[in-house]
Amino acid sequence: MSKRTEKTIVDIAEELQLSVSTVSRALNDHPNISARTKERVKKVAKKIGYRPNALAAGLRNNKSKTIGLIVPRISMFFPATISTIIQNKLQEFGYNLIICQSNDSYDQEVALANTLYSARVDGLVVSTTLYTTDFSHFDIFRNNNIPLVFFDRVPKDYNVKVIKGDDYRGGYVATTHLVEKGCKDIVHISGPLTCCLYSDRVAGYKAALQEHGLTSKKNRIFYQELTRENAWQTCEKIFGHQPYPDGIFASNDTTAITIVEYCRKMNLRVPEDVKIVGYSNDPRTEIVTPPISSIDQYPAMMGERVVAVLMELINGRQSAEPRYSQEIIPIQLIERQSSAGKSKTGKKKLTLS
């Protein structure tokens, strides 16, 4: 079997009896090359199966035209939605996206950061793991002036560009909504406090309770990875003995959906016996029975701002010098049947940003 030979611009030049430089310019749509020559060159390139060497071009131009993206899990609604937005917006600027998932493993995140640096990406966008507290594996990007933007799960004391949701406000709004619907015993199911999202949402939850004269109780807050399995086990603890709570604020919609399922198993009525608010406005919250109230994080807005800030850094419109800069994306409560009922204060719903 003969060895496959990669076709180059030299092969195109020989077939058309043109110079290599003319072929190169034609392939790159140089204005000094006629439309007829460009057409001939591209036709032959397609015929012989020529593939441009993007790596070699990147080395010459010191640009790879690729951006690295590290997310916890691509299967989750919020990072999946933002990844799509980021990819689509980057393509408008002529950039490709390399998407990597850490699977919430710190070691994997470290390895991915090193791999993407070696791949010569022009910038890096990161949503960290639940357990990332040491960000030194990203120093290589800062030290070499490679644009670095964190979103959603972000560091609090690391000199980088940060774009995050208003999670404190989200926790406050969700809890206040339940109080206004008449709830007096509100459980909060949180993620691990090592992650900024959940520490902020817990703080908002506690502030809302305090403002309305309710006590925050340790046995009414649960910290865990927000999976369906963990949510089911927590429901067994919550409803394993009386008194049952009359409201539950879940820090993601997977947990909120699982609570609805568990209440159905227990013959508890939602929202009559217990009212539920989730977080992220996952499309599934609209189609379950009953539909679930949730906090919308505006992922499209966040994704667009991530790309805008990244492009400003790449094009030198913002200083590449590492310094902390935070941008907050608003939230909004989307009220559905899971928290329905007459408002204690007479307000129909609370939608703050």
Side-chain angles (χ1 to χ4, degrees), residues 84-120:
T84 300
I85 297 296
I86 290 174
Q87 177 170 306
N88 292 343
K89 295 299 293 184
L90 283 174
Q91 286 176 344
E92 295 177 13
F93 292 97
Y95 284 82
N96 294 312
L97 184 66
I98 302 174
I99 303 176
C100 306
Q101 58 178 354
S102 64
N103 290 317
D104 268 324
S105 163
Y106 175 78
D107 290 340
Q108 182 71 1
E109 182 180 272
V110 172
L112 289 172
N114 290 328
T115 297
L116 290 170
Y117 176 77
S118 298
R120 303 176 67 88

Side-chain angles (χ1 to χ4, degrees), residues 176-316:
T176 298
H177 172 69
L178 290 170
V179 173
E180 290 179 346
K181 292 297 182 177
C183 298
K184 298 180 182 298
D185 183 8
I186 302 171
V187 162
H188 178 38
I189 302 179
S190 168
L193 292 184
T194 48
C195 182
C196 66
L197 299 183
Y198 305 116
S199 58
D200 287 349
R201 291 175 197 174
V202 167
Y205 159 82
K206 290 181 177 179
L209 291 181
Q210 183 177 12
E211 183 176 301
H212 291 87
L214 299 174
T215 303
S216 171
K217 302 175 182 176
K218 288 185 177 180
N219 67 350
R220 283 321 204 196
I221 308 177
F222 298 84
Y223 304 101
Q224 62 198 45
E225 290 192 23
L226 297 170
T227 64
R228 185 183 186 282
E229 294 74 21
N230 287 344
W232 194 268
Q233 292 173 11
T234 298
C235 283
E236 291 176 338
K237 296 175 184 176
I238 293 170
F239 297 108
H241 54 81
Q242 298 277 6
Y244 296 159
D246 53 12
I248 302 179
F249 163 39
S251 250
N252 78 349
D253 287 328
T254 295
T255 299
I257 291 167
T258 306
I259 297 166
V260 169
E261 293 175 0
Y262 193 90
C263 286
R264 187 177 298 118
K265 168 182 173 290
M266 292 284 292
N267 293 318
L268 290 170
R269 300 169 302 165
V270 178
E272 293 84 358
D273 298 324
V274 58
K275 302 183 191 302
I276 300 167
V277 176
Y279 213 104
S280 280
N281 199 28
D282 186 313
R284 294 176 297 166
T285 57
E286 293 187 89
I287 60 175
V288 298
T289 303
I292 299 172
S293 299
S294 188
I295 299 293
D296 192 344
Q297 298 175 272
Y298 295 109
M301 185 187 300
M302 185 177 289
E304 289 173 0
R305 287 304 303 151
V306 165
V307 174
V309 170
L310 187 66
M311 288 298 102
E312 289 173 2
L313 290 169
I314 287 175
N315 295 321

